[in-house]
Amino acid sequence: MGMTMTQKILAKHAGLDHVEVGQLIEAKVDMVLGNDITTPVAITEFEKAGFSQVFDKDKISIVLDHYTPCKDIKSAELCLKARNFAHKHSITNFFDVGQMGVEHALLPEKGLCAPGEIIVGADSHTCTYGALGAFSTGIGSTDMAAAMATGLLWFKVPAAIKVTLKGKLQPMVSGKDVILHLIGEIGVDGALYQSLEFAGEGVSSLTMDDRFTISNMAIEAGGKNGIFPVDEKTMEYISGRVNRPCEAFEADADAEYVREVVIDLDKLEPTVAMPHLPENTKVVSEVAGLPINQVVIGSCTNGRISDLRAAAAVMKGKKVADNVRCIVIPATQEIVLQAMKEGLIETFIEAGAAVSTPTCGPCLGGHMGVMAEGERTVSTTNRNFVGRMGHVTSEVILASPAVAAASAIAGCVADPRKLS
């Protein structure tokens, strides 16, 4: 039996010719990631285990993005602990305020992820880098400590679901709608500890930002990872960013999948996930008109430049509704600069939105947009669990940047295709 993309990457890094589903392997990792919440815990475990040095200072990334710029004394202390560790061990890829961005947008931008690599991170949305044809997955802080010290981790080889994409996305429909549709179809545990492997002629029509968004939310279906084949768009993206050899892996024709899900991109419509699970999806026209209090455009899911362009195109020349707060958070400093050059920041501010420095901020109920009792937000983030962005009675509706922007203008959930 042949192997999937994920199996081939794991086999290569384990020094094996072949791996089987369920097999336990020890594999070398190419990058270990942590943030301001998870790294301090990993540091404690690192030191408790008696480790005195990291395996490779160039293969560890520490990004202070969740509560930064620090919102309180506790977050400042966490950042200080990570900062001191990074300086002590001369961590090459340490990103503090002013250089940092939302980690899963920042690492690909900096060329720290490449096809065929294994990237692990103490953050569940580390699966984002599968968009580049890498095996990337979230780990716990204890595993992060072990990986920082040894460059090795144990993995159980996952089974795979083949997601075949047909056709091409229509205007105002994006990668966010694709992944919400998929999660709505298979459920939040539909890919539990399985690899979501995307294939089909529809892949070529997706932008890299679409693919990052889709891979980012593989975890919301329970997936171990989400991975795309490497094509011309992938190679174009990494050109000038990745300065080391990399290898693209293709699934064998006889690779085994537990199931296949087919998505016709031509037929997809703007889609939202209603409270309180990402699987609670609706076509936006089904819930249009529902009043909202806030809109958040940003995060590791949808804070990239194409996301800001999509939102700005909807908001250009219009005003945010009087009853709505709209917060726009570009995912990295480079994206901030590009948005400034293109006039997108001006568009947002003239529309009445607040524009923030890069941060995860409101996504996890941290800062920059926490909700009060009974409030409702349309957000381009990735989770809408109870209390995710504030009070336990608040609600989060997940949406694409276009839907979020249209909703900010309308003052209620709105279809960007029908905004006058």
Side-chain angles (χ1 to χ4, degrees):
M1 186 64 66
M3 292 190 290
T4 65
M5 286 183 282
T6 291
Q7 287 175 303
K8 286 187 174 183
I9 295 171
L10 289 173
K12 175 71 178 293
H13 285 72
L16 301 171
D17 293 328
H18 190 87
V19 294
E20 301 283 349
V21 172
Q23 183 177 346
L24 291 174
I25 61 169
E26 185 181 58
K28 295 179 180 178
V29 300
D30 296 290
M31 180 58 67
V32 182
L33 167 68
N35 56 50
D36 49 319
I37 296 177
T38 59
T39 301
V41 181
I43 292 169
T44 297
E45 295 305 310
F46 183 95
E47 294 173 346
K48 187 188 300 182
F51 296 127
S52 60
Q53 61 185 23
V54 299
F55 85 105
D56 190 329
K57 65 182 180 63
D58 298 327
K59 293 186 176 182
I60 296 169
S61 294
I62 298 174
V63 186
L64 308 184
D65 63 352
H66 274 58
Y67 288 135
T68 51
C70 297
K71 74 181 188 73
D72 54 23
I73 295 171
K74 182 61 179 177
S75 61
E77 290 172 342
L78 292 173
C79 286
L80 180 61
K81 185 169 183 176
R83 191 177 295 121
N84 289 341
F85 180 87
H87 292 162
K88 177 181 179 180
H89 295 280
S90 301
I91 302 300
T92 306
N93 302 302
F94 172 64
F95 300 98
D96 209 334
V97 173
Q99 289 80 45
M100 71 83 174
V102 179
E103 57 195 321
H104 305 310
L106 185 68
L107 263 62
E109 180 182 282
K110 296 294 185 182
L112 299 176
C113 313
E117 294 185 338
I118 289 183
I119 302 116
V120 294
D123 185 276
S124 56
H125 293 102
T126 303
C127 49
T128 303
Y129 317 128
L132 296 171
F135 173 77
S136 60
T137 192
I139 57 174
S141 291
T142 304
D143 279 341
M144 180 187 172
M148 287 196 299
T150 68
L152 298 165
L153 274 183
W154 288 97
F155 297 95
K156 184 173 77 171
V157 179
I161 295 174
K162 186 176 185 179
V163 183
T164 300
L165 304 178
K166 297 167 37 179
K168 184 178 180 180
L169 293 175
Q170 299 303 299
M172 297 289 184
V173 183
S174 68
K176 186 61 164 288
D177 302 296
V178 177
I179 190 60
L180 288 178
H181 174 86
L182 176 61
I183 297 168
E185 183 169 339
I186 69 175
V188 292
D189 58 357
L192 195 61
Y193 209 93
Q194 295 173 339
S195 174
L196 286 171
E197 307 227 348
F198 295 89
E201 45 93 11
V203 168
S204 63
S205 71
L206 298 178
T207 66
M208 286 310 302
D209 286 357
D210 284 327
R211 300 178 200 187
F212 283 126
T213 297
I214 293 168
S215 296
N216 175 272
M217 290 188 66
I219 185 63
E220 309 311 336
K224 180 66 174 175
N225 67 306
I227 189 168
F228 277 85
V230 176
D231 61 11
E232 291 180 2
K233 288 184 179 179
T234 317
M235 299 311 294
E236 182 182 351
Y237 181 87
I238 68 172
S239 177
R241 299 180 191 270
V242 176
N243 58 4
R244 60 193 177 281
C246 57
E247 183 178 0
F249 292 86
E250 294 182 6
D252 291 325
D254 59 344
E256 185 177 6
Y257 301 95
V258 295
R259 66 183 290 196
E260 180 181 12
V261 178
V262 179
I263 299 177
D264 189 342
L265 301 180
D266 288 321
K267 297 180 179 178
L268 283 188
E269 295 189 42
T271 302
V272 297
M274 302 299 289
H276 289 286
L277 285 174
E279 70 181 13
N280 188 18
T281 55
K282 304 282 186 184
V283 175
V284 71
S285 57
E286 296 181 83
V287 291
L290 186 66
I292 61 173
N293 305 99
Q294 180 173 273
V295 166
V296 173
I297 300 169
S299 86
C300 62
T301 315
N302 284 121
R304 297 176 178 84
I305 190 64
S306 64
D307 300 313
L308 301 189
R309 288 170 182 155
V314 172
M315 297 174 73
K316 183 74 172 177
K318 300 181 178 66
K319 293 289 185 182
V320 172
D322 290 340
N323 60 317
V324 173
R325 312 178 298 275
C326 181
I327 303 161
V328 180
I329 309 176
T332 70
Q333 292 285 66
E334 183 178 307
I335 294 169
V336 172
L337 285 174
Q338 186 63 34
M340 291 173 65
K341 292 174 182 176
E342 295 183 17
L344 307 182
I345 302 295
E346 183 177 358
T347 295
F348 295 134
I349 292 175
E350 288 181 347
V355 181
S356 166
T357 187
T359 180
C360 297
C363 175
L364 68 157
H367 62 146
M368 294 298 298
V370 177
M371 284 189 287
E373 182 179 0
E375 291 193 308
R376 181 182 295 126
T377 287
V378 171
S379 179
T380 66
T381 54
N382 43 47
R383 287 183 174 152
N384 58 350
F385 306 152
V386 172
R388 172 70 178 180
M389 290 178 66
H391 196 279
V392 292
T393 64
S394 64
E395 296 182 346
V396 180
I397 299 171
L398 304 179
S400 70
V403 170
S407 301
I409 300 302
C412 58
V413 178
D415 188 333
R417 302 170 301 178
K418 299 179 181 179
L419 191 67
S420 57

